[in-house]
Amino acid sequence: MRSSSQTTEPWRVGVLFSQSGFMAVIEETQLRGTLTAIEEVNAAGGINGRPIEPVIYDPGSESRAFGRFAKKLMVDDGVSTIFGCYTSSSRRAVLPVVERLNGLLWYPTLYEGFEFSPNVIYTGAAPNQNSVELCRLLMEMYGRRFFFIGSDYVYPRESNRIMGELVRASGGEVVGERYLRLNAERREFSPLLREVKEAQPDVIFSTVVGESTVFLYQTYHDFGFDPKVMPIASLTTTEAEIQAMGHDVGEGHVTAAPYFQGVGGARNSSFVHLYKKRYGEDQSTNMCLEAAYFQVHLFAKTLELTNSLDTEVLRTSALGVELDAPQGKVAVNPVCGHTDLWTRIGRANRQGQFDIVYSSPSRVRADPYLIGYARSLAFA
Ligand code: ACM
């Protein structure tokens, strides 16, 4: 364990988010969220008198580069704690590195669940914190026929497997399931939306991520579909993608998330104010940025207690830590290392913000293996 009682040396941490390539539209905001929190902690005197110093690399939207940079951080830069990753494929590239070298990855993105690693703290939503409620609400508001469109990698395929099970368990039907490469261009979406037109679903469930999200919604708009009748529903389309596609294009579509900029509350107001002051009045916060932000504060709160970056000490102490986050009070669940978060469903408005149509009465316990849900089905 590194002793630190006398020193004012910085706490060095790794930061891995894409600032270039097709994932930058959202990962750049996660980088900003991370840096906003680090600056805030440092402005308040650091942790036990020592500032946090980020060592930042840009993996350029390439999953394998995340693995390479994680190794560089741990071997060359002597860093053991890493904040980073959006896509599940980038997380999976970092996993063997942190597991072999005993690092700790703080992962601030919703994902498909069904994973546990003693070398990861998960601060984005698991399927029981977004998909379950989203499925219920979509069936209630729009109908039972779903068409799935996804980027072709692990998160969309697994997330659709789960959504498919939820839909069928509630008497619904999946009438189409199509995937496009991760960096698909706009013209590639037209044939898919022609298929949608033929299949006449009640809802498109999108697991498209990054810049392609913009192309999916723009092509939908070009086809003249009506979001009041057949919206695109998603777990990943945030204020950032809506800004990139145009507010008129995003209006009426539905997203499930622990956080939207418009959730209200004093803690969120100060966060939004701080962010806009730093990055511009026209910039919005979003769920991925918020998780990137609050997980640094979770880390800081834990490090204040441990005064050590030793992975075992840090992770053990992080379990159970509670924090007043912009979304509300959150806590690292000690059973699974995922975070207990709020469930919300929003519908995008003309201002590029989300009107909240559902909010959970309290934070929802992380259940990444859907154990509680399976049990509730078995006993229904
Ligand atoms: C994701 O790939 N976890 C959005």
Side-chain angles (χ1 to χ4, degrees):
M1 199 187 302
R2 212 173 291 168
S3 163
S4 46
S5 50
Q6 300 300 318
T7 177
T8 54
E9 284 276 295
W11 303 102
R12 298 183 91 208
V13 298
V15 179
L16 291 182
F17 294 109
S18 300
Q19 298 166 60
S20 55
F22 53 88
M23 293 309 302
V25 62
I26 187 69
E27 292 189 36
E28 178 90 46
T29 75
Q30 292 182 300
L31 173 63
R32 289 173 169 195
T34 305
L35 296 180
T36 302
I38 290 176
E39 284 167 14
E40 205 176 14
V41 169
N42 289 346
I47 300 157
N48 301 332
R50 300 172 58 184
I52 303 175
E53 181 183 296
V55 183
I56 305 169
Y57 293 114
D58 172 14
S61 303
E62 207 210 305
S63 296
R64 274 177 303 189
F66 279 82
R68 288 199 298 274
F69 279 123
K71 191 167 173 195
K72 181 170 168 50
L73 279 168
M74 294 200 66
V75 174
D76 299 342
D77 300 310
V79 155
S80 57
T81 287
I82 300 172
F83 300 100
C85 300
Y86 176 92
T87 65
S88 289
S89 36
S90 66
R91 185 191 70 257
R92 285 183 170 206
V94 169
L95 263 179
V97 178
V98 290
E99 288 185 349
R100 204 176 312 124
L101 301 175
N102 202 21
L104 189 60
L105 172 69
W106 298 71
Y107 177 56
T109 311
L110 72 295
Y111 85 112
E112 62 280 3
F114 293 86
E115 184 177 290
F116 168 83
S117 170
N119 296 89
V120 183
I121 301 282
Y122 303 79
T123 58
N128 78 300
Q129 295 165 314
N130 52 20
S131 303
V132 170
E133 207 52 54
L134 180 63
C135 177
R136 186 194 61 74
L137 182 126
L138 292 172
M139 293 189 81
E140 226 173 78
M141 287 182 66
Y142 300 101
R144 38 184 294 278
R145 292 164 54 80
F146 284 56
F147 197 109
F148 293 169
I149 299 181
S151 302
D152 197 4
Y153 74 104
V154 58
Y155 155 73
R157 288 194 176 268
E158 282 301 295
S159 187
N160 280 338
R161 183 183 59 75
I162 293 161
M163 187 56 97
E165 281 178 20
L166 295 172
V167 166
R168 284 185 283 271
S170 311
E173 194 185 345
V174 179
V175 297
E177 182 167 349
R178 290 286 178 271
Y179 296 90
L180 286 175
R181 64 200 174 98
L182 247 170
N183 54 347
E185 290 166 19
R186 187 162 175 171
R187 61 183 168 74
E188 295 174 60
F189 284 95
S190 294
L192 287 198
L193 286 163
R194 274 196 286 278
E195 276 190 53
V196 167
K197 197 166 183 174
E198 250 175 43
Q200 296 194 338
D202 299 312
V203 178
I204 298 172
F205 177 57
S206 164
T207 46
V208 174
V209 300
E211 202 177 11
S212 294
T213 308
V214 172
F215 304 145
L216 167 65
Y217 286 66
Q218 285 174 338
T219 310
Y220 172 106
H221 193 69
D222 294 345
F223 269 68
F225 292 130
D226 182 358
K228 286 199 272 315
V229 180
M230 180 195 67
I232 303 175
S234 157
L235 310 172
T236 46
T237 303
T238 74
E239 292 85 342
E241 289 85 356
I242 300 262
Q243 179 162 354
M245 70 181 69
H247 298 171
D248 57 328
V249 172
E251 185 179 11
H253 295 297
V254 177
T255 296
Y259 172 87
F260 296 105
Q261 179 176 285
V263 293
R267 178 68 189 92
N268 181 46
S269 292
S270 66
F271 165 59
V272 172
H273 178 74
L274 182 70
Y275 186 73
K276 285 178 182 288
K277 204 168 116 200
R278 175 77 169 77
Y279 291 103
E281 273 305 312
D282 60 334
Q283 298 297 305
S284 290
T285 56
N286 67 64
M287 66 165 130
C288 300
L289 186 169
E290 189 250 2
Y293 169 82
F294 83 66
Q295 70 172 12
V296 171
H297 282 291
L298 272 176
F299 159 78
K301 196 168 175 179
T302 309
L303 184 58
E304 200 174 344
L305 299 173
T306 62
N307 207 33
S308 162
L309 286 172
D310 180 276
T311 291
E312 249 112 78
V313 176
L314 200 58
R315 182 179 190 277
T316 311
S317 305
L319 299 178
V321 168
E322 194 183 58
L323 187 86
D324 192 12
Q327 68 179 269
K329 281 208 165 66
V330 300
V332 182
N333 189 299
V335 176
C336 58
H338 290 56
T339 308
D340 298 343
L341 301 167
W342 295 74
T343 298
R344 294 184 171 102
I345 297 172
R347 192 166 39 211
N349 61 31
R350 187 45 79 106
Q351 287 71 45
Q353 299 299 315
F354 285 87
D355 297 324
I356 296 172
V357 297
Y358 171 83
S359 191
S360 57
S362 59
R363 67 184 182 222
V364 178
R365 198 141 47 88
D367 181 13
Y369 290 89
L370 283 171
I371 293 165
Y373 180 77
R375 206 174 279 150
S376 73
L377 273 187
F379 292 114

